[in-house]
Amino acid sequence: MNQILKAIELYDTTLRDGTQGEHINLSVQDKLLIAQKLDEFGIDYIEGGWPSSNPKDEEFFTKVRCLDFKHAKLCSFGSTARTVSTVENDPNLLGLLHAETPVITIFGKTWKDHSVKSLGISDEENAELIYRSVAFLKQKGREVFFDAEHFFDGYKDNCEFALKMLLSAVQAGASRIVLCDTNGGSLPHEVSDIVAHVLTVTGIPVGIHSHNDGDLAVANSIAAVIAGASHIQGTINGIGERCGNANLISIIPNIMLKLQRSFPSNLHLNQLTSLSKFVYEILNMPSNTRAPFVGKSAFAHKGGIHVSAIIKESSLYEHIDPKLVGNHQRVLVSELAGQSNIRYKAVELGIDLPEKSELIKNIVRHIKELEHEGYQFDGAEASFELLLHKELGNFQPFFEVLETKVHIESSKNAKNVDQAVLKVKVGEEIEHIAADGDGPVNALDKALRKALLHFYPEIKSIKLIDYKVRVLEEKRGTSAKVRVLIESSNGRDTWGTVGVSTNIIEASLLALQDSMNYHLFTLKASAPPVKIKSHQ
Ligand SMILES: [Zn+2]
């Protein structure tokens, strides 16, 4: 019998093992949305939860019946029975049957120490417990996968015991044996040696379930596949207990693009980035910008030499074509940038740059000076775009802040109310505006809006969604320069702006001004721009 499946099966446990991670919380509705998405993507097996462990999982298994999966098979998860004599009445096994899933995954002890110390039973009793539990579920017409808990540690401790437990499950009719690195401490060469040995003694396809405690869960899963495993368990974005589970988002493209192996379904690899983002959104977690394959920075180029090379041939500095996984190439603007970055960026922003390289050289020099002062345009592309238009003579600010006063009030008992007073010039008119706020930056934001709303009603839709302050010269303590990064949104688009100063209020005001100017500029707002005196 061929123990190695031609295609590699994907088994997702985001909804069960993933939810055991710290700060991970999914409602029944969230779980249903993720299950639907996993099926659309092409995952083969979706582990929905542990039905007898909590009412939420029970509710999930009832409601999931209304979903019509195109390809995926639903699995419920639980342990073997508690004692041999009560297998047929075991509440956990009955709960699994009650969930009415076509596949049931049960885990059993395969590390002798755990069997002896935590269950307090003999080798024979443990083997019997596994056999009887699997056989009972098989008799009820279910496909049964056996998760061999702590298998790699158990194998290293007592190989004979560990293999005996596996064979018990095989003889009882399990169709997959899944080797679990439950404590996540194994190394890739150990995993491949052990998987290769297991394949010589079982007779059914072998799977891998890795945890990431040594930061090797993905490497261990790949090592297992190379050694002959044909079933991989993991979670989306690697969420899970402690340091997480094996990250399917990284495993899938490695298997498909590097090992050139296929999956049973018509997997939509170009939706990998959106699947990762979708799960982060549902979890209400910020996505990992440095995540391989799908992160915002995964194909972002900063160095000028890199950029001039990728313009000619992307593969010179990229391990795969980002489009294959639904991601895209980005070029960052920084002090490392050369003329190529600026040209690339201008094309991306739809700005026509003249061929004259003197102008581009000036722009690069100006950016380098600003970065030297502490500016950073990586997260502030709107400020960069304004700068480019300013250099090209296409943009003039829509307003000018002539004076700023901020009054900060702090007392133990009173609610903190700070006040900002601004003198703002729009066209030939000058506005004097005061506003109270919850903190000085909030007061400043409110005052600026109040001053401008009358001239530019378009700014009403702008919302400040993120505000970050970074101290640039830490050794200088409170007299140090600060960089303020602001993210704004109009409900449809988001944009980032930056301001730098030794005064946090001024840095914030610069970033706020850029944010409003950018919004008005993109809308091509029509009020008369201010006549600005030259700073030179
Ligand atoms: Zn696990």
Side-chain angles (χ1 to χ4, degrees):
M1 183 184 177
N2 185 6
Q3 309 150 18
I4 302 176
L5 301 171
K6 242 182 117 194
I8 305 292
E9 289 175 349
L10 293 170
Y11 182 107
D12 180 277
T13 178
T14 305
L15 306 181
R16 199 275 305 171
D17 224 358
T19 60
Q20 286 176 221
E22 197 174 359
H23 309 306
I24 305 281
N25 212 330
L26 292 172
S27 67
V28 172
Q29 184 57 25
D30 293 339
K31 291 180 83 166
L32 292 168
L33 287 169
I34 292 176
Q36 180 90 59
K37 194 85 177 168
L38 291 170
D39 174 56
E40 286 164 10
F41 179 72
I43 296 290
D44 305 302
Y45 297 97
I46 299 171
E47 192 174 82
W50 188 336
S52 48
S53 73
N54 64 73
K56 201 199 274 180
D57 281 3
E58 272 178 45
E59 190 188 335
F60 168 81
F61 282 110
T62 307
K63 291 195 167 159
V64 77
R65 284 173 212 148
C66 302
L67 295 184
D68 189 16
F69 286 153
K70 282 192 236 117
H71 168 79
K73 280 187 180 167
L74 195 69
C75 316
S76 52
F77 175 88
S79 71
T80 53
R82 289 221 176 115
T83 59
V84 173
S85 58
T86 57
V87 168
E88 303 206 342
N89 302 312
D90 185 86
N92 175 56
L93 295 186
L94 294 177
L96 288 167
L97 290 172
H98 187 65
E100 292 183 19
T101 56
V103 180
I104 293 175
T105 301
I106 56 168
F107 70 94
K109 305 277 181 210
T110 54
W111 185 355
K112 189 176 165 95
D113 268 9
H114 271 266
S115 170
V116 174
K117 289 175 190 164
S118 96
L119 296 183
I121 55 177
S122 70
D123 298 5
E124 281 65 34
E125 277 175 299
N126 193 23
E128 181 75 5
L129 205 53
I130 292 170
Y131 182 91
R132 296 274 299 274
S133 301
V134 173
F136 173 66
L137 298 173
K138 277 290 292 177
Q139 278 162 21
K140 299 287 177 186
R142 307 305 168 84
E143 183 170 9
V144 182
F145 293 173
F146 179 68
D147 267 13
E149 197 194 21
H150 293 292
F151 183 76
F152 294 94
D153 295 316
Y155 180 98
K156 285 184 263 181
D157 178 51
N158 187 327
C159 152
E160 201 186 323
F161 174 87
L163 291 173
K164 188 174 171 182
M165 300 308 129
L166 287 189
L167 290 174
S168 244
V170 175
Q171 283 152 12
S175 57
R176 301 285 180 275
I177 292 293
V178 183
L179 310 181
C180 302
D181 188 23
T182 310
N183 292 357
S186 298
L187 296 171
H189 70 284
E190 296 170 330
V191 170
S192 51
D193 289 352
I194 294 171
V195 167
H197 184 204
V198 168
L199 279 163
T200 64
V201 293
T202 56
I204 61 168
V206 167
I208 178 79
H209 175 116
S210 303
H211 278 261
N212 201 33
D213 300 72
D215 206 10
L216 290 168
V218 170
N220 285 337
S221 306
I222 302 289
V225 168
I226 293 170
S230 40
H231 170 109
I232 303 178
Q233 300 196 347
T235 62
I236 301 304
N237 301 326
I239 61 163
E241 207 156 6
R242 307 185 307 278
C243 314
N245 282 57
N247 184 0
L248 288 178
I249 292 293
S250 295
I251 290 172
I252 291 168
N254 273 314
I255 298 277
M256 209 163 167
L257 304 174
K258 306 294 171 74
L259 295 183
Q260 311 265 306
R261 299 288 298 271
S262 59
F263 300 106
S265 72
N266 179 22
L267 197 95
H268 301 293
L269 189 65
N270 61 0
Q271 286 169 24
L272 192 76
T273 303
S274 67
L275 172 65
S276 165
K277 275 193 192 148
F278 179 85
V279 172
Y280 275 128
E281 284 282 314
I282 299 260
L283 289 168
N284 200 16
M285 283 169 82
S287 53
N288 175 8
T289 55
R290 281 202 286 265
F293 299 99
V294 297
K296 199 177 168 201
S297 304
F299 302 96
H301 304 276
K302 196 162 176 178
I305 297 170
H306 288 213
V307 175
S308 61
I310 58 156
I311 288 172
K312 291 176 198 132
E313 175 71 60
S314 290
S315 65
L316 292 172
Y317 280 99
E318 285 173 353
H319 71 130
I320 60 157
D321 176 355
K323 288 198 277 302
L324 292 171
V325 290
N327 206 343
H328 64 274
Q329 186 184 74
R330 287 171 64 232
V331 165
L332 308 175
V333 177
S334 80
E335 58 190 350
L336 302 176
Q339 291 190 32
S340 313
N341 295 52
I342 305 299
R343 288 199 179 277
Y344 184 102
K345 211 67 207 167
V347 171
E348 202 179 84
L349 298 169
I351 300 171
D352 275 337
L353 281 187
E355 277 307 309
K356 235 174 65 190
S357 67
E358 209 41 46
L359 183 66
I360 314 280
K361 267 188 199 158
N362 284 341
I363 296 174
V364 172
R365 192 164 48 234
H366 191 186
I367 286 168
K368 288 188 180 184
E369 279 164 15
L370 286 171
E371 296 232 346
H372 186 68
E373 279 175 38
Y375 274 82
Q376 179 191 304
F377 295 101
D378 277 4
E381 295 192 342
S383 285
F384 172 75
E385 196 176 330
L386 281 185
L387 184 85
L388 215 53
H389 282 296
K390 218 183 280 177
E391 296 276 341
L392 293 168
N394 303 334
F395 165 75
Q396 279 198 323
F398 289 84
F399 57 90
E400 189 180 6
V401 177
L402 302 173
E403 266 177 46
T404 317
K405 277 187 199 133
V406 175
H407 179 73
I408 299 171
E409 205 173 292
S410 170
S411 74
K412 263 192 175 169
N413 306 322
K415 210 178 141 209
N416 286 348
V417 177
D418 299 325
Q419 194 187 50
V421 182
L422 293 181
K423 194 173 169 186
V424 180
K425 190 177 176 196
V426 182
E428 296 307 319
E429 283 187 55
I430 291 182
E431 292 275 313
H432 240 111
I433 292 285
D436 292 340
D438 195 4
V441 177
N442 182 243
L444 208 59
D445 183 33
K446 281 186 171 171
L448 190 57
R449 280 165 198 270
K450 232 167 140 181
L452 296 178
L453 204 60
H454 163 59
F455 301 97
Y456 307 111
E458 301 91 329
I459 63 156
K460 203 172 175 207
S461 63
I462 303 182
K463 281 202 166 57
L464 211 148
I465 55 173
D466 201 7
Y467 173 83
K468 282 189 207 119
V469 181
R470 173 90 193 267
V471 178
L472 299 173
E473 302 146 300
E474 280 152 23
K475 286 193 190 117
R476 291 186 56 193
T478 47
S479 69
K481 262 189 188 169
V482 293
R483 180 199 298 135
V484 169
L485 280 166
I486 282 179
E487 211 175 317
S488 312
S489 170
N490 58 5
R492 194 184 65 243
D493 302 312
T494 61
W495 60 94
T497 53
V498 61
V500 173
S501 170
T502 47
N503 179 336
I504 188 171
I505 301 290
E506 191 183 315
S508 307
L509 185 61
L510 288 170
L512 277 173
Q513 289 184 79
D514 262 12
S515 170
M516 305 215 175
N517 269 316
Y518 178 79
H519 185 59
L520 294 171
F521 183 68
T522 53
L523 291 176
K524 298 187 174 44
S526 54
V530 188
K531 285 175 201 139
I532 296 286
K533 282 171 256 134
S534 170
H535 292 296
Q536 265 82 66

